Amino acid sequence: MTAAIQTPHLTLNDGRSIPQLGLGVFLVDPAEAERIVTEALEVGYRHIDTAMIYKNEEGVGRAIANSGIPRDELFITTKLWNSDQGTDSARAALDTSLEKLGLDYVDLYLIHWPAPKYGKHVESWQTLVELQAAGGARSIGVSNFMKAHLDDLAAASDVVPAVNQVELHPAFQQRELRKYQEPRGTLTEAWGPLGQGKYELAELPGFASIAERHGKTVQQVAIRWHLQEGVIVFPKTTKRERMIENADVFDFELTADDMATIAAADRDQRVGAHPLNTDF
Ligand code: NAD
């Protein structure tokens, strides 16, 4: 097993530490998850982001079990699916995820979406607070929450989500939401940090020349930009060489001018679902 990649760690509002760079496994075929996560652990990743709805928790768990890496050197996130929101159903969902992962606890448990069609995000949050106290989730947070949803939690609970995992990439930078949640103690995690490959990063003004000047790919520039913005990031890839490429972002630094050029490339372009969707 190679050494862990040299990612910075950030401190969550509960005092625990999270590696700022990891691997996401959305749309990873359950049959391939074990191989992919095994390779990621070999490359040096120690932070894996999965979810009940990805249906690959078992493969993730097998890779963890076979890796021999001490549990406290890993950071594993999973998420409560929308139809499991509530009290008893959320408790049962965490138990099921832990069983599939083969773990006694996850490092981070998230409410996956506010899911307005169920109207249970506050009740679910209160349950996550209990689950954290009981030890099944070391840290707790939310995903795809908008300001109003965060306000709903603040009105009902003293526990502030450790993170809010939202769509975030150079064409959709979420500056307003970040400015709101970060002073309140909620770190931002980016999903779709490479725009899910749904647009060409090289098309954004200045991006290609920044990459060329640093001798890096546009994907590496995007990942580095998230890190310098203080955002937690776990790009997804199933290919070992891209796992290596995506972690090879600690030997260069974007200049203030580079950061300003990328800031100006924001075009408020979502590539994924809106948090208020009622389709799922
Ligand atoms: P992403 O932005 O990480 O993009 C993944 C795409 O980029 C894949 O097609 C991959 O082949 C390509 N890619 C990766 N590295 C590359 C490289 N070096 N060069 C060229 N192409 C490269 O999109 P994502 O997977 O949606 O987001 C990352 C993670 O965020 C997910 O795996 C998942 O863990 C999480 N996520 C969460 C939510 C949520 O609702 N909370 C939603 C989507 C994703």
Side-chain angles (χ1 to χ4, degrees):
M1 191 65 57
T2 44
I5 54 179
Q6 72 161 132
T7 172
H9 284 60
L10 300 181
T11 303
L12 301 169
N13 64 13
D14 56 18
R16 298 195 76 236
S17 160
I18 181 168
Q20 206 184 344
L21 178 66
L23 179 83
V25 294
F26 176 48
L27 297 181
V28 163
D29 186 329
E32 275 222 283
E34 181 178 351
R35 190 270 299 166
I36 289 163
V37 174
T38 297
E39 289 193 12
L41 297 173
E42 284 169 5
V43 165
Y45 287 80
R46 295 292 181 265
H47 171 181
I48 306 292
D49 182 272
T50 184
M52 166 88 99
I53 200 69
Y54 302 168
K55 301 191 183 345
N56 55 27
E57 288 169 312
E58 281 159 316
V60 172
R62 281 195 298 274
I64 292 169
N66 294 336
S67 72
I69 297 170
R71 176 67 185 90
D72 62 2
E73 292 177 20
L74 295 169
F75 193 99
I76 309 299
T77 298
T78 196
K79 312 186 190 88
L80 173 70
W81 186 241
N82 303 351
S83 54
D84 290 327
Q85 285 203 25
T87 304
D88 292 346
S89 51
R91 288 184 188 138
L94 178 60
D95 283 345
T96 304
S97 283
L98 290 174
E99 199 183 317
K100 289 187 171 170
L101 287 161
L103 298 176
D104 300 329
Y105 66 90
V106 286
D107 294 279
L108 181 59
Y109 197 45
L110 305 180
I111 301 178
H112 206 147
W113 291 87
K117 94 168 168 185
Y118 295 98
K120 291 186 177 171
H121 62 289
V122 173
E123 181 187 338
S124 300
W125 180 248
Q126 287 163 331
T127 307
L128 260 61
V129 170
E130 291 171 21
L131 292 170
Q132 181 183 30
R138 292 279 163 97
S139 298
I140 53 174
V142 296
S143 178
N144 298 300
F145 274 41
M146 303 176 80
K147 273 192 220 170
H149 306 118
L150 296 171
D151 286 344
D152 292 343
L153 303 193
S157 170
D158 291 335
V159 182
V160 176
V163 306
N164 186 13
Q165 181 181 125
V166 293
E167 178 179 342
L168 196 160
H169 43 84
F172 191 65
Q173 299 184 13
Q174 294 269 26
R175 292 205 179 265
E176 216 181 300
L177 180 63
R178 285 196 272 156
K179 203 166 147 196
Y180 184 77
Q181 65 193 16
E182 285 165 7
R184 289 170 172 75
T186 299
L187 294 183
T188 304
E189 294 193 330
W191 66 253
L194 305 176
Q196 297 186 323
K198 290 181 179 164
Y199 62 88
E200 293 293 334
L201 288 163
E203 276 171 12
L204 298 177
F207 230 88
S209 62
I210 292 171
E212 197 182 348
R213 183 156 36 78
H214 290 286
K216 291 287 176 181
T217 64
V218 286
Q219 287 79 15
Q220 287 172 316
V221 168
I223 294 164
R224 180 75 209 178
W225 170 78
H226 283 86
L227 296 171
Q228 288 186 216
E229 287 280 326
V231 169
I232 299 154
V233 63
F234 25 83
K236 173 232 170 175
T237 178
T238 59
K239 299 190 176 74
R240 190 184 191 103
E241 60 275 16
R242 282 184 173 168
M243 293 174 192
I244 295 167
E245 173 186 335
N246 293 349
D248 182 18
V249 291
F250 298 105
D251 60 351
F252 77 112
E253 192 165 357
L254 298 170
T255 65
D257 279 353
D258 295 337
M259 294 297 283
T261 300
I262 299 172
D266 193 357
R267 53 191 190 198
D268 208 24
Q269 180 190 355
R270 274 187 201 279
V271 299
H274 192 283
L276 295 179
N277 80 80
T278 51
D279 299 338
F280 52 82

